[in-house]
Amino acid sequence: MPLPDQLNAEIDARREDLIALTQDLLRIPTLNPPGENYLEICEYLSNRLRGSGFTVELIRAHGTPGDSEKYPRWNMIARREGKRPGECVHFNSHIDVVDVGHGWTRDPFGGELVDGKIYGRGACDMKGGLAASIVAAEAFLAVNPDFSGAIEISGTADEESGGYGGVAYLAEKGYFSPERVQHVIIPEPLNKDRICLGHRGVWWAEIETHGEIAHGSMPFLGDCAVRHMGAVLEEMEENLFPALAQKRTDMPVVPEGARQSTLNINSIHGGQSEGDEDFTGLPSPCVPDSCRVVIDRRFLLEENIEDVQAEIRDLLEGVEKKRENFRYDLKELHRVLPTMTDKDAPVVKTVAKAIAQTMGKEAEYVVSPGTYDQKHIDRIGKLKNCIAYGPGILDLAHKPDEYVGVEDMLDSAKVMGLSLLELLARP
Ligand SMILES: [Zn+2]
């Protein structure tokens, strides 16, 4: 039998193992925040991969945001060397999952298998992808033990909260340098026939307007910061939102609605803070002297960060010209530059070919509206040959009754395995 057929048969034969592995991962609740059970899941992965001949390192990201003795940021990185020198293919999955939320009809940490779907928080985002990559690598090793290069599999912390205690930390330590790793596949749930080339950029900022406190019965003796902020928001409604909708991108962002610049007003706070939930009293009458909004601006490869910042600064300066006593502060909170891997990059071409072989159709190329760990591999690791590819339906991520389909995991494991054959099995 030709090697690709042997590999596919080997993956099909591991169906029960793939299901059990996914269920085991789902039964370790790795909620983030706060970042629970990272060591436990890393040890589980470590035992599994040591059993398959990998050398494993457990790395704690000391001192990164959220790292503490109670919630240490643990990461697992496994490597298996081939018989001859060659390139290294790395599968990176995040081990953390988001809050359960309301509306579940299944046990979020039960790993229930019903009608070919495995349910649980993190099933599609992205423990199903992690399990598929492990089974793909193990099946590849079974049919082709005499390979060149190396395979790496990592399980990393905190992707859902920015990845600073996970991929960013490892990239800073050189684990994603182009000398060590040549191809990176992140099995995020982008659907099994799609290749995600990158993501839009992010700019978070806080705008604060200032006023003057006074008695609420005589507001003319003070200056209302909330009204100043109202003027800022009005300016956004009138001019900024329509202008952003005009900025279209050639990036193949999905969903279609995100194929433009967007802005979300993430929060607004002004005046007295609300009392505790059990406080039954009334507020005291005061004119608010401060109002703050946090904005979440998503930008395109065609824009640069300086222009994105200038747009907001210009808006504020415009309001300042029109409004008496308007005083404000603008503070950047967070930034991520947009990134998009070239369609001709080796990992893209390889995975596209494997998708066509497995699914009998051409791969679709997409870009994510939000960011994921590729940002750190690109900016810190300086490694451009990176994509997201994995099983699971993107729309189910972070939702109640999240699941991953067993057939989808098998198909994407085949795509990953065939990619390994293409990249590492060459004589
Ligand atoms: Zn994810």
Side-chain angles (χ1 to χ4, degrees):
M1 223 193 321
L3 265 183
D5 295 342
Q6 283 181 43
L7 178 83
N8 287 340
E10 189 67 38
I11 287 172
D12 282 330
R14 289 165 189 251
R15 183 191 185 94
E16 294 308 315
D17 177 41
L18 176 60
I19 292 170
L21 172 58
T22 309
Q23 290 175 320
D24 283 353
L25 293 172
L26 289 171
R27 288 170 186 153
I28 306 173
T30 45
L31 286 168
N32 178 32
E36 278 170 359
N37 301 309
Y38 286 168
L39 183 58
E40 194 182 344
I41 201 167
C42 285
E43 280 174 343
Y44 175 90
L45 291 166
S46 162
N47 287 338
R48 166 93 188 198
L49 290 164
R50 278 200 180 107
S52 314
F54 283 79
T55 306
V56 179
E57 282 179 85
L58 296 190
I59 298 156
R60 178 174 165 187
H62 281 280
T64 54
D67 179 68
S68 66
E69 287 313 310
K70 191 168 179 206
Y71 299 113
R73 270 38 204 171
W74 283 101
N75 295 275
M76 187 279 324
I77 185 156
R79 182 175 172 103
R80 169 128 179 203
E81 298 290 344
K83 292 273 158 62
R84 292 172 301 279
E87 298 185 323
C88 171
V89 181
H90 184 119
F91 295 98
N92 165 252
S93 297
H94 63 83
I95 52 177
D96 56 325
V97 302
V98 296
D99 192 10
V100 171
H102 299 287
W104 285 75
T105 64
R106 314 267 177 201
D107 177 356
F109 302 109
E112 267 178 273
L113 171 66
V114 185
D115 295 334
K117 296 170 180 164
I118 307 175
Y119 289 86
R121 176 52 87 222
C124 95
D125 186 12
M126 60 178 289
K127 288 174 172 175
L130 172 57
S133 69
I134 291 172
V135 167
E138 290 173 345
F140 168 82
L141 293 168
V143 301
N144 195 71
D146 189 25
F147 66 102
S148 36
I151 304 172
E152 287 187 347
I153 295 175
S154 59
T156 51
D158 284 358
E159 189 276 342
E160 299 289 2
S161 53
Y164 298 100
V167 170
Y169 186 84
L170 296 180
E172 270 156 22
K173 301 281 175 213
Y175 284 94
F176 287 97
S177 68
E179 297 77 43
R180 179 187 164 113
V181 177
Q182 284 73 43
H183 309 269
V184 178
I185 297 172
I186 302 177
E188 288 273 10
L190 268 306
N191 301 7
K192 63 183 176 181
D193 53 0
R194 301 202 297 197
I195 295 175
C196 181
L197 300 169
H199 51 72
R200 297 188 300 173
V202 183
W203 188 60
W204 281 1
E206 184 186 84
I207 300 167
E208 180 172 13
T209 52
H210 301 286
E212 201 187 324
I213 194 162
H215 197 286
S217 67
M218 298 168 284
F220 47 85
L221 295 181
D223 184 20
C224 181
V226 173
R227 288 182 62 187
H228 286 309
M229 188 61 82
V232 173
L233 297 181
E234 197 178 306
E235 187 61 30
M236 286 181 177
E237 291 296 340
E238 297 280 302
N239 296 309
L240 184 60
F241 284 108
L244 295 182
Q246 296 301 314
K247 295 189 191 187
R248 306 286 301 171
T249 180
D250 286 334
M251 301 170 95
V253 186
V254 286
E256 174 77 36
R259 215 164 276 187
Q260 60 169 55
S261 300
T262 56
L263 177 75
N264 178 43
I265 311 231
N266 188 74
S267 63
I268 180 161
H269 296 281
Q272 296 165 66
S273 52
E274 293 175 343
D276 293 338
E277 255 172 62
D278 53 1
F279 177 73
T280 55
L282 291 169
S284 57
C286 285
V287 175
D289 59 0
S290 161
C291 184
R292 289 173 290 122
V293 299
V294 171
I295 56 170
D296 176 353
R297 171 77 157 82
R298 303 295 168 126
F299 64 103
L300 315 169
L301 217 48
E302 291 88 346
E303 299 179 278
N304 63 52
I305 180 95
E306 290 77 23
D307 293 343
V308 168
Q309 293 166 319
E311 196 175 58
I312 296 296
R313 247 192 335 262
D314 290 351
L315 183 146
L316 292 167
E317 281 168 17
V319 177
E320 191 178 28
K321 282 199 189 93
K322 286 191 269 188
R323 237 185 127 75
E324 228 177 295
N325 294 327
F326 181 78
R327 287 174 299 125
Y328 68 93
D329 284 309
L330 175 62
K331 185 167 79 184
E332 173 175 298
L333 301 177
H334 178 57
R335 66 156 76 180
V336 177
L337 298 180
T339 182
M340 188 164 76
T341 300
D342 203 89
K343 260 197 199 175
D344 289 327
V347 73
V348 180
K349 283 165 100 173
T350 304
V351 172
K353 192 174 149 194
I355 288 173
Q357 261 174 290
T358 307
M359 252 72 76
K361 60 184 285 236
E362 293 299 305
E364 194 189 328
Y365 300 95
V366 299
V367 160
S368 169
T371 70
Y372 53 97
D373 277 335
Q374 185 166 340
K375 57 182 176 262
H376 302 305
I377 293 168
D378 173 17
R379 300 290 157 189
I380 308 171
K382 309 275 178 242
L383 199 149
K384 302 285 173 195
N385 194 29
C386 174
I387 56 166
Y389 171 77
I393 300 162
L394 181 61
D395 297 2
L396 293 176
H398 301 198
K399 296 262 244 178
D401 285 347
E402 178 184 348
Y403 68 81
V404 64
V406 175
E407 289 308 319
D408 286 2
M409 283 200 291
L410 287 167
D411 282 343
S412 68
K414 287 173 188 170
V415 170
M416 295 179 206
L418 289 173
S419 302
L420 287 173
L421 274 184
E422 174 86 13
L423 294 167
L424 304 181
R426 284 172 296 195

